Amino acid sequence: MIAPMCLFCRILEGEMAADVVRETGLSLAFRDINPQAPTHILVIPRRHVANLFELAEYAGELADVVALAGSIAEEEELDKGYRLVANTGSQAGQSVYHAHLHLLGGRDLGWPPG
Ligand code: 5GP
Ligand code: ZN
């Protein structure tokens, strides 16, 4: 039996629409469907791994998602600050088990997060 493709893999394959912001050979960035800040972009590796820790096995791909997030933050003019979030596991609220960074900015971000 073939396992159903994960949601973000479907976006990567073009089977599901997304508001794509930027892409590289290793990563894709698109706007979150339920934005929590004026800028809320998801940056994902093309490789399917469950979380950022698993992506650490692939140093070049990990570096690519971080570098892409930083470069988009510049484009979005988040010079006053932004936050990169990687929810990992159910208690942290991870709902899609394909590694991703949330790039959040454009408003004051409270600390500690909820
Ligand atoms: P997590 O909760 O796993 O850290 O983040 C998953 C994110 O994916 C959530 O912020 C959620 O709003 C977003 N999301 C879920 N489904 C879709 C979708 O179909 N398209 C887009 N663009 N974002 C989605
Ligand atoms: Zn996936």
Side-chain angles (χ1 to χ4, degrees):
M1 207 173 84
I2 299 168
M5 218 190 277
C6 101
L7 178 65
F8 288 174
C9 283
R10 286 170 61 204
I11 288 175
L12 284 162
E13 292 293 319
E15 285 181 15
M16 189 150 173
D19 183 358
V20 172
V21 177
R22 281 268 299 279
E23 57 185 312
T24 72
L26 297 175
S27 310
L28 182 73
F30 52 94
R31 295 194 189 274
D32 196 292
I33 204 166
N34 182 23
Q36 302 301 312
T39 293
H40 187 174
I41 291 167
L42 301 171
V43 186
I44 72 171
R46 293 188 186 277
R47 179 187 298 277
H48 177 91
V49 289
N51 56 49
L52 204 65
F53 175 66
E54 288 191 9
L55 193 64
E57 294 282 316
Y58 308 95
E61 291 161 66
L62 177 66
D64 199 77
V65 291
V66 175
L68 183 56
S71 125
I72 293 169
E74 277 184 17
E75 281 172 10
E76 296 272 316
E77 300 180 342
L78 302 179
D79 43 294
K80 289 202 287 186
Y82 60 89
R83 189 170 290 165
L84 297 180
V85 174
N87 296 322
T88 305
S90 58
Q91 194 163 31
Q94 186 175 4
S95 59
V96 179
Y97 284 79
H98 181 129
H100 53 282
L101 285 176
H102 296 257
L103 167 61
L104 295 155
R107 65 167 170 83
D108 291 340
L109 297 167
W111 191 263

